[in-house]
């Protein structure tokens, strides 16, 4: 296991800060990981009606009394093929089959096969992140509004969404980010700026499977300790993050962030989590 420490320098307005980032890399073929510190944050409840703004609605506090590691990047096609070559994962056809682009068209169950392969290979517990773990790591101290309070004019610095270049090339009639990220479709991982925890592509590129089942109707039942919700409809599994093919203007129905665990999509992949001792 290789552990490294980096200092990430970031600017918020006119203030520049530095945070120490601890990284892990359990094997040559394994995804690079970033260790996320314990802490707490406020997380909005999914809305009961469609079209609610990202800056309104009830929220609850989620507390993490543990550290966890999460993929620095989305799992790539090259990393997936290492699992295929070991006979633990199915070979999946992707429209773009370069080693450094995210693997897509993968089902929730196939993503779980990959995490089990990593666990077997490394002796550590790999899994998919919970809804709140993903949100906590992706937000990295920023706000809970759309795109974590990154101004819309700066979205293209941090991720690959459906932007002006994609709209010129594809003309799909979708809501368009008011900037140009120079990608017309899926991009290699790590092309854009990281967040404060050192994670790449938590905005855009591909949406990412998470562990949770479709959520409870009673809001008080939502876990407040970072664990996944596994008591709902587990035929439906969650996914988080936008992609190169969408650009949400409002916070959509809760059901819009869950889909059949057997679903495949050209803009749906995953990143892994790993438990820490």
């Amino acid at each position: 296991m290789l552990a490294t420490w980096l200092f990430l320098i970031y600017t918020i307005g006119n203030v520049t800060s530095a945070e120490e980032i601890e990284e892990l890399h359990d094997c040559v073929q394994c995804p690079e990981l970033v260790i996320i510190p314990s802490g707490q944050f406020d997380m909005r409840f999914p809305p009961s009606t469609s079209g609610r703004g990202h800056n309104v609605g009830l929220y609850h506090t989620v507390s993490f009394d543990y550290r966890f590691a999460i993929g620095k990047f989305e799992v790539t096609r090259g990393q997936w093929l290492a699992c295929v070559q070991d006979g633990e994962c199915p070979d999946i056809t992707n429209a773009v089959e370069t080693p450094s682009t995210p693997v897509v068209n993968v089902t929730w169950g196939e993503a779980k096969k990959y995490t089990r392969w990593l666990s077997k290979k490394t002796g550590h517990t790999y899994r998919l992140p919970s809804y709140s773990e993903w949100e906590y790591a992706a937000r990295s101290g920023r706000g809970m509004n759309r795109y974590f309070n990154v101004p819309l004019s700066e979205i293209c610095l941090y991720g690959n969404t459906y932007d002006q270049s994609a709209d010129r090339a594809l003309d799909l009639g979708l809501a368009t980010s008011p900037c140009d990220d120079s990608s017309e479709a899926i991009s290699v991982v790590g092309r854009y700026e990281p967040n404060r925890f050192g994670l790449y592509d938590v905005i855009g590129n591909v949406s990412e499977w998470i562990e949770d089942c479709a959520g409870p109707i009673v809001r008080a039942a939502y876990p407040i300790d970072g664990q996944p919700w596994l008591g709902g409809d587990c035929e439906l599994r969650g996914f988080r993050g936008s992609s190169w093919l969408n650009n949400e203007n409002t916070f959509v129905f809760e059901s819009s962030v869950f889909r059949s665990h057997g679903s495949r999509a050209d803009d749906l992949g995953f990143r892994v989590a790993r438990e820490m001792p």
Side-chain angles (χ1 to χ4, degrees), residues 5-273:
W5 286 263
L6 304 173
F7 281 94
L8 176 68
I9 308 298
Y10 58 86
T11 301
I12 309 168
N14 295 320
V15 180
T16 300
S17 303
E19 283 187 4
E20 186 177 285
I21 298 172
E22 186 177 358
E23 297 184 356
L24 292 173
H25 198 192
D26 285 330
C27 70
V28 173
Q29 298 169 319
C30 298
E32 296 174 67
L33 305 172
V34 172
I35 296 178
I36 306 300
S38 59
Q40 66 179 36
F41 79 135
D42 292 330
M43 182 173 169
R44 290 203 191 279
F45 289 108
S48 57
T49 58
S50 182
R52 190 195 74 193
H54 285 256
N55 61 339
V56 297
L58 298 174
Y59 59 86
H60 65 303
T61 300
V62 178
S63 298
F64 298 86
D65 62 2
Y66 61 93
R67 302 186 308 161
F68 63 95
I70 194 168
K72 182 177 179 179
F73 308 105
E74 295 152 337
V75 173
T76 66
R77 174 75 177 165
Q79 290 163 345
W80 181 266
L81 286 177
C83 181
V84 174
Q85 291 165 1
D86 275 1
E88 300 291 338
C89 293
D91 195 3
I92 297 170
T93 300
N94 285 182
V96 179
E97 296 194 340
T98 58
S100 297
T101 51
V103 64
V104 294
N105 279 318
V106 58
T107 68
W108 182 88
E110 290 166 345
K112 292 288 287 183
K113 285 184 178 180
Y114 181 82
T115 63
R116 289 193 292 269
W117 170 72
L118 285 177
S119 298
K120 179 180 176 182
K121 188 177 185 67
T122 66
H124 299 288
T125 301
Y126 279 80
R127 54 180 174 76
L128 294 177
S130 72
Y131 187 157
S132 54
E133 285 174 340
W134 191 96
E135 187 82 10
Y136 178 60
R139 195 187 302 175
S140 63
R142 284 189 177 271
M144 67 178 77
N145 298 339
R146 183 190 188 200
Y147 292 139
F148 320 126
N149 285 9
V150 175
L152 288 180
S153 60
E154 299 177 14
I155 289 299
C156 292
L157 299 176
Y158 292 94
N160 173 24
T161 65
Y162 190 81
D163 68 318
Q164 294 172 352
S165 58
D167 193 54
R168 286 194 299 270
L170 303 175
D171 192 23
L172 298 178
L174 304 176
T176 305
S177 297
C179 54
D180 193 325
D181 61 29
S182 300
S183 291
E184 297 173 357
I186 197 169
S187 171
V188 297
V189 301
R191 179 176 180 179
Y192 302 94
E193 294 294 320
N195 71 5
R196 298 176 190 173
F197 283 153
L199 304 183
Y200 291 81
D201 302 311
V202 292
I203 295 175
N205 215 19
V206 298
S207 298
E208 302 170 17
W209 285 115
I210 57 172
E211 185 69 31
D212 296 56
C213 303
I217 297 174
V218 180
R219 287 174 170 168
Y222 276 94
I224 59 173
D225 58 358
Q227 298 304 302
W229 172 257
L230 301 176
D233 180 1
C234 290
E235 289 295 312
L236 300 175
R237 293 288 181 160
F239 64 98
R240 298 295 296 148
S242 53
S243 79
W244 64 270
L245 199 53
N246 66 47
N247 180 20
E248 296 174 357
N249 289 313
T250 57
F251 203 136
V252 295
F253 267 129
E254 178 186 2
S255 59
S256 297
V257 294
F258 294 92
R259 61 172 72 195
S260 168
H261 61 76
S263 296
R264 301 182 188 275
D266 287 334
D267 62 341
L268 179 60
F270 67 106
R271 77 178 69 214
V272 299

